[in-house]
Each structure stands twice: as structure tokens, then as C-alpha cells.
Amino acid sequence: MRTNEKQLNTVPRVRYLTAFLRNNAVLVVALVASAISCCFVPPDKEYLGYFDFRTLASLFGMSAVIAALKRQNVFRALADVLIGRFRSTRSLIAALVAITYVASMLIANDMALLTFLPLGYCALHAAGKEDKMAYTFTLQTVAANLGGMLTPFGNPQNLYLYNRFAIPAGEFFRIMIFPTLAAVAVIAALCLLVKREPIAAPAHGETKAPDKAKTAVYAVAFVYMIVVVFRVVPYWTALLVVPLLLIFDRGALMKADYSLLLTFCAFFVFTGNLARISAVDEFFRFLLGKSVLLTGVISCQVISNVPSAVLLAGFTTDYARLLVAVNIGGCGTLISSMASVISFRNFSLYRPKERLRYLAINAAVNFTSLIALTAFCLFVPIYP
């Protein structure tokens, strides 16, 4: 009996561990990589210099405030209003993609997908167009990865590079404006491939109305976090969101993206150690000397865009091309960005029997987008 009880108790633990590894794959890889690097460069006082505390504070504050807004159903309520106005398959999907794109500029790509993928499922299910779900989820993923290009806080890698190289705000926008316009053109072309089929008004179900007082407080906090990101006030003031949320919504603090923060910390250690190994330093400087853009794009396909930004920033001063590379490099393989992993996980929950179909559509759309944008940025290089 005791043996059977132990076996029964072990099953939930194994499932929990499996779920954790699946949901935090990049974090696990980052921790393992940092641990291995410590074998070559033992911990010393120089480790403290690895960490970019401005980036960590900004990421934490923004993530916590966004979690609070999301718990108030602010983004879901806004999306419901907008989507209710469209009456064809193409316009409905285009609306979902557009909302995801705009949201990623404001609340980052991962949060945008976590907010609007469920809405995409509800809308397509209510409209009887579930066969379009694989393509819609893929477009939303591309939109989320590329939508955050234009703002320093739109993607985590943007925030890191923006702070790492102290890029002036005006210069940041000048670097990203033309790649952003090219991305919009690619996404619009992909939306036009959807057939225009009439549908009934999508029924999304009732969404709980946001608390006006709390939403106003969180909106002010969100604006303040933007001010922090643009270096108008000291970065440590981002931590003021802690007492704010302890008063209004403690649950939001639990929903902040701590996995992303730990991932950054692990990669700070990993890349800091790599930079102190002469052979590695020479290798990456050689590759980046050939093409920062191509090296960055290819690196994203192998180790994802956020760790690529942290890694390669230590070996080049050409932040303009690196910034573009780690943004467009979010398209491509399933591991090129965490957003892609999130989308696949969500789709698997809704349509588990269509995973292979989703992977095929996702690969076709993502690599088409990646090739088109890389070619644009290579042959029409517009940098300040």
C-alpha cells in the first residue's frame, strides 16, 4: 500500500515538473548555460558588474503594472468593443491581428499574446471559423513579435539594448521606423490572403467591466513606467509599484513575469562569463565583423531573441543593426522567441489534434516574413 501511495504522490510531482520545464524552457536553458559558464569563470566580485539593474527594474515595474491592468480586463474589454464591429472572416482576423500588434507596443509581445490569443479563439469559435485558428494564431504571433519593434518597452530585448547602449529616444525611433513600416506591409499582405467570408456578429461572452478607480490608478502607473523607461526619472523608482500594488492588488505582484527576470539574470551571468573567455570573444567578434544583422538573425533562430540580444551586445558596438536583428529575428523557428512558444502552447490546448498543421503553417508564415524583412534590412539599410 505504501509503495502505491508513493507512486500516486510521485505522478503529480512529475507532471508539475514537466509542465514547469515546458512553460519555462528558455529559463531552464539560461540557468544551465550560466551554471556551465561558472565552471570556466568561477564567481568573483566582477559578477556584480554583469547585471543591468536599470533593465531589471524597468522590466519588473512594467510587468507588474501590465498584470494589474490585465486583471482588470482592460485589454479584453477594449478588444471586445473593436471586434464586435467586424462582419467578415478577413476583417475579423485582421482586427485580431491589429489589436495584438498595437498591444505589443504597449504591453510587450508575450503579454499581448496571453491577452488576445484566448480572445481569438472565442471569436473564431463563435463565428464558426475554427478552421482559421492555426493561421490566425500564427499571424497574431508574427504581429506580437514585430509590433513591439517601434518602442523601447515593446520587446524585452529592446529595453535591454536601449539601456545597455543608452540609445537616445529619437535615435531609437529613427532606427526602427523603416523596419517597422516593412513589418506592417508584410503583416497586411498576410492578412489579405484570408478569404472574405461573411460571418455573424461574434459573441465573445460577457466580460467583467474594469473597476474604473483601479484602472485609473494603474493607467497612471503605466504612464509613469514609460517615463522610467525613457530615463526621465531614476530607474529605481520603478520599484514604487510594489507598495502601490500591495494596496490595490496583491495578486498582480504574483503575476509579474519573474521567469523573464530570472532569465535575464541568468543570461547576464552567462554572457558576462563568455566575454571573459578569450577564444569565445574572438569568435563572436569575427562573426559580428562580417555581418551584425545576419549574425543576430541566425542567433535568434538557435537561442531565441532575448538571449541573443544579451549575448551579442557584449561583442559589438553596432547597436543599430543588432537592435533590428533581434527584432526581425523573432520570426522563424518556434524557439526564435518566447512568444512563438506561448502561441504553440495555447493552440495545443484548443486544437491538440492539429499541432502538425499548426507547425507547418507557422513555419511557412514565419520564414516568409523573416526572409522578406531580412532582405529589406540588408538591401535597404537605413540607419542613423
Side-chain angles (χ1 to χ4, degrees), residues 34-267:
S34 63
I36 292 174
S37 72
C38 290
C39 297
F40 296 92
V41 183
D44 56 23
K45 62 180 180 181
E46 290 189 34
Y47 270 51
L48 290 176
Y50 294 167
F51 299 95
D52 187 331
F53 294 105
R54 173 181 290 278
T55 297
L56 293 174
S58 300
L59 277 174
F60 168 74
M62 187 67 77
S63 176
V65 172
I66 288 169
L69 286 169
K70 185 179 177 183
R71 283 165 61 85
Q72 288 300 313
N73 292 316
V74 172
F75 308 112
R76 179 65 181 266
L78 175 61
D80 282 349
V81 172
L82 294 175
I83 292 177
R85 300 184 180 183
F86 299 96
R87 296 293 181 270
S88 76
T89 305
R90 180 188 293 173
S91 62
L92 175 60
I93 292 175
L96 287 166
V97 173
I99 291 168
T100 307
Y101 183 92
V102 173
S104 67
M105 289 186 185
L106 304 174
I107 63 174
N109 52 2
D110 293 356
M111 286 290 185
L113 285 174
L114 289 172
T115 302
F116 296 118
L117 284 177
L119 183 60
Y121 168 77
C122 292
L124 293 172
H125 176 73
K129 300 294 182 181
E130 292 189 39
D131 59 310
K132 302 291 193 299
M133 194 173 299
Y135 191 67
T136 302
F137 273 35
T138 297
L139 290 187
Q140 285 184 278
T141 305
V142 172
N145 280 325
L146 299 178
M149 292 172 66
L150 189 60
T151 60
F153 46 83
N155 289 326
Q157 65 269 24
N158 285 7
L159 188 57
Y160 171 69
L161 294 176
Y162 179 77
N163 287 322
R164 169 66 184 265
F165 294 103
I167 306 172
E171 183 178 353
F172 183 96
F173 291 121
R174 286 196 299 273
I175 293 169
M176 300 308 299
I177 183 62
F178 287 103
T180 296
L181 293 175
V184 170
V186 168
I187 293 170
L190 292 170
C191 287
L192 290 175
L193 295 178
V194 180
K195 292 182 179 179
R196 188 188 295 275
E197 302 170 351
I199 58 173
H204 309 296
E206 294 186 5
T207 300
K208 182 180 178 181
D211 182 289
K212 293 182 179 179
K214 288 184 177 180
T215 299
V217 172
Y218 300 151
V220 171
F222 180 77
V223 172
Y224 184 80
M225 284 309 308
I226 294 177
V227 173
V228 171
V229 170
F230 282 107
R231 300 190 285 266
V232 177
V233 296
Y235 71 85
W236 59 264
T237 60
L239 300 179
L240 293 176
V241 302
V242 174
L244 175 70
L245 294 181
L246 284 175
I247 295 172
F248 290 98
D249 188 354
R250 295 183 181 182
L253 282 176
M254 299 298 294
K255 294 294 184 179
D257 198 343
Y258 296 106
S259 175
L260 181 62
L261 291 172
L262 288 174
T263 299
F264 263 96
C265 288
F267 273 112

Side-chain angles (χ1 to χ4, degrees), residues 267 270-296 298-300 302-303 307-317 322:
F267 273 112
F270 174 64
T271 57
N273 286 338
L274 284 185
R276 295 169 64 181
I277 302 173
S278 58
V280 174
D281 181 84
E282 292 175 4
F283 174 71
F284 279 109
R285 291 188 188 280
F286 170 77
L287 291 180
L288 291 164
K290 296 297 182 181
S291 175
V292 173
L293 183 70
L294 289 178
T295 300
I298 294 172
S299 175
C300 291
V302 180
I303 64 171
S308 291
V310 178
L311 173 63
L312 299 179
F315 303 100
T316 182
T317 57
L322 180 58

